[in-house]
Structures are given as C-alpha cells and as structure tokens.
Amino acid sequence: MRIAMRTGSEPTTARSSLRVRFWLSVWGVVWTVAGTVAFALAGHPGWALACGMLFLVVAADLAFVVRHIRQGPHYQPGRDVPPYEPPHGPPTDRR
C-alpha cells in the first residue's frame, strides 16, 4: 500500500473540476433526453434506446458529482503547515 505524502510542491491555486463536470452532465442530460424523444418520435427505437441508456450513465455521473459537491471541501493544510518529513528507513510492503 502506497501512502500519498504532502511534499510542499502542490499547486496553491488548484481548483476542483466538479463544477465543470456538473455543467457538462447537465448538458448531457439535456441532449440525451432530447435525442431519446426525437428518435422515438422519428420511429428509430434502437437509437432511442441508445440515447436512453446514455441518459442513465449521464444521470449517474450527475448524481455522483452532486453528492461530492454537497460533501463540501475536505481539509487541506495551509501554507503555514510545513511539508511532511519523508519516511526514514527502507520502504515496507504491506500486503
């Protein structure tokens, strides 16, 4: 098991991509619903089914993104917290 360590070289202006994923998922929901309806009305049940299945994938992604956004920010050490010391000694393989 490998443990991620804080090195002090992390970007200080890093942003989460959750809001971008949220809006892309909303865009995907709109287009998959429109595609499902359009293909169903045009008499193409195979394409309507494909769009409906893609809608399920996009809706699941949207649910995960909303869940992560509602969890809020997680603790991140500030600039005043020094980097962690690297482990001393040989690496251990814990399996």
Side-chain angles (χ1 to χ4, degrees), residues 2-95:
R2 197 162 252 216
I3 298 175
M5 293 179 26
R6 180 168 137 67
T7 62
S9 62
E10 293 85 5
T12 57
T13 58
R15 300 275 187 239
S16 172
S17 62
L18 287 177
R19 299 231 183 262
V20 173
R21 277 184 60 192
F22 172 78
W23 288 110
L24 286 173
S25 293
V26 168
W27 183 254
V29 165
V30 169
W31 278 101
T32 54
V33 167
T36 303
V37 171
F39 283 123
L41 292 176
H44 297 284
W47 285 106
L49 178 64
C51 283
M53 293 177 71
L54 186 58
F55 165 77
L56 294 176
V57 172
V58 173
D61 183 54
L62 183 60
F64 285 122
V65 170
V66 168
R67 179 177 175 260
H68 283 285
I69 289 174
R70 288 188 177 178
Q71 284 179 345
H74 299 287
Y75 172 73
Q76 295 292 319
R79 290 183 179 181
D80 57 338
V81 177
Y84 298 130
E85 289 292 325
H88 300 289
T92 58
D93 188 20
R94 299 179 187 176
R95 288 186 186 192

